[in-house]
Amino acid sequence: MLIKQISVFIENRPGRLSDIISALAAGGIDIRALSLADTTNFGILRLIVNDPARAAELLRSQRFTVSVSEVLAVEIPDEPGGLASTLAILNGAGISVEYAYAFITRKAKGAYVILRVENNNIAVDTLRAGGVKLVGAEELYAL
Amino acid sequence: MIWNEKYETMSRDEMTALQSERLRDCVKRVYENVAPYRAKMDAIGLKPEDIHGVEDLHKLPFTTKDDLRDNYPYGLTAVPMSEVSEIHASSGTTGKQTVVTYTEADVKLWGEVTARALMMAGGSKNDIVHVSYGYGLFTGGLGAHYGGQTIGAATIPVSTGNTKRQVQIMRDFGSTILMCTPSYALYLAEAIEEAGCIDDIHLRAGIFGAEPWTENMRREIERRLRIKAYDIYGLSEIIGPGVAAECEEQTGMHIAEDHFIPEIINSDTGEVLPAGSRGELVFTCVTKQAMPLIRYRTRDISELSYAPCSCGRTTVKMIKPQGRADDMLIIRGVNVFPSQIETVLMTIPEVAPYYVLVVDRIDNTDRFEVQVEIRPEYFSDEVRALEEIRSRIAREILSALGISAGVRLVEPHTIQRSEGKAARIIDKRKLY
């Protein structure tokens, strides 16, 4: 039930984000979702793509600094309170969220949220027990 | 007023005779009491009796910062430790401190030479000397302090930091002469302007040193603090502040050459250059007891002038150092060698040992940034983890060098791999 996420280190310098995205475009990689964390010093670009293994290899070959980590994806109702109930479940179990980002698609009815937590397995069990719909890799990449 | 007319206004012949006599004595003492010097002289077949006077100075081997490091901590001390009354230290090239020892007589000499500097700046026993150099292992604070005490001035050991309190002391205690780094003088000027109390400040002169500064900075300090600003030169290996200082003519700094014999050499060949040539400044401390260094290479680039001075002093003048013969940086008065940063980075597995040091001066304070490449295998998707690496590097630099640095993580393979060290330093301060 875990999703592979590509993270890329971005130095604080003009054009770096564009360089990365262009490299992916040239390699025919489709971006499902992205989030950019920035500090005054550097940024971290996080991506969900249709082919994470190939995307990571492609970026590494162009000397980008890449790491692949496992995150969770949940499908939530695209309506007020949809995310609140999911987060309440995690919070109730004492699981803290490192970061999260959400996206919607034209095809699916629900909204998707990518969650990075400290312990994926415990979070998966907790969310399942709470009746939250987890989205698998195949399903997500194929969106 | 001249503090020590006898020595500061000697004729050239008298000075040469005095220096020669002192040099002969010094070489003898050093040869007998300092094994590393004896070994160096024996290696080239030089005996103390071969040194007849200053004309033979060039025959003696040089001393470098490496010699101090190799003989850490007391190897170059020429007297038993029971004779040592004070110990100071400054940062060395590779993290090991450079230790300097003083006997009671050396401390007295130190007071004498800084007293000369204070008198050159118009000081007297009626002054209230405000010392804002750091007191401690750094020689700035105590060196200035001894000078103030020697001329009989009321000396305030304010030390560094707490700028608001500094301004209050300056106002309430009636400080008349300020001694600190030039950048701190500007910082104080700013604090005084903020407090709007310049009319309550009674400073008339300032003696500034321990870091490079420009004529523009001098004018700015003079205008904003309403004082006359004097330059002072020194380094702990020789004695500390007071090796040379400016008189009212301000065309160079009079060297206390009856104690510290200067030479200018070509730093590549070691050859002595004639007066007026630009080269590396070298000193021989002929009267110091505890650590009489012979031909110590300062790595400072300067020139000597024997031209007569309107102040009446006859001692040789050196111009403000025009740069360094090595890659040492002086940041907020602290000596920083790039190799020290490298040593720190080597202990941090998450980064590659490639770095760029960027020094700038913003709001009159030196800003120091270390740009370093993160290693791909340690890259994390979490901001927190990277921030932790950054703050760990800053912490290690602070603990090893005593200086706070901004750390900037850059992408792997983006820092130029160069053989030359100079490419690793970007100094935007334009101080020379």
Side-chain angles (χ1 to χ4, degrees), chain A residues 7-20:
Chain A
S7 303
V8 193
F9 180 73
I10 306 183
E11 203 182 304
N12 226 335
R13 152 159 89 85
R16 287 310 276 162
L17 177 60
S18 163
D19 292 346
I20 296 165

Side-chain angles (χ1 to χ4, degrees), chain B residues 91 138 181 210-211 328-336 401-403:
Chain B
S91 57
F138 173 57
T181 60
E211 68 183 14
M328 185 179 91
L329 290 162
I330 304 176
I331 299 165
R332 286 174 235 134
V334 177
N335 296 351
V336 174
L401 282 81
I403 185 160

Side-chain angles (χ1 to χ4, degrees), chain A:
Chain A
M1 272 298 142
L2 301 176
I3 310 293
K4 290 209 185 318
Q5 171 193 258
I6 308 283
S7 303
V8 193
F9 180 73
I10 306 183
E11 203 182 304
N12 226 335
R13 152 159 89 85
R16 287 310 276 162
L17 177 60
S18 163
D19 292 346
I20 296 165
I21 303 299
S22 302
L24 291 173
I29 302 285
D30 215 349
I31 299 169
R32 290 279 163 266
L34 70 77
S35 140
L36 181 61
D38 72 308
T39 73
T40 50
N41 210 267
F42 58 85
I44 301 175
L45 176 67
R46 296 158 187 148
L47 297 159
I48 303 294
V49 297
N50 62 344
D51 190 345
R54 202 162 65 78
E57 197 193 305
L58 179 85
L59 290 172
R60 282 195 182 112
S61 73
Q62 297 187 28
R63 292 202 150 174
F64 288 105
T65 305
V66 177
S67 81
V68 179
S69 42
E70 291 186 319
V71 293
L72 298 175
V74 296
E75 187 182 337
I76 56 167
D78 187 8
E79 62 189 35
L83 178 58
S85 58
T86 302
L87 293 180
I89 290 164
L90 289 172
N91 192 32
I95 297 169
S96 54
V97 176
E98 299 286 345
Y99 57 80
Y101 50 103
F103 62 102
I104 51 170
T105 68
R106 269 174 305 169
K107 294 175 223 163
K109 263 193 174 164
Y112 297 88
V113 180
I114 304 295
L115 291 166
R116 175 78 153 102
V117 294
E118 202 174 319
N119 188 318
N120 279 326
N121 294 332
I122 295 174
V124 166
D125 293 345
T126 307
L127 289 168
R128 275 201 178 130
V132 175
K133 193 194 167 199
L134 286 142
V135 184
E138 294 304 317
E139 190 185 338
L140 194 72
Y141 302 152
L143 275 175

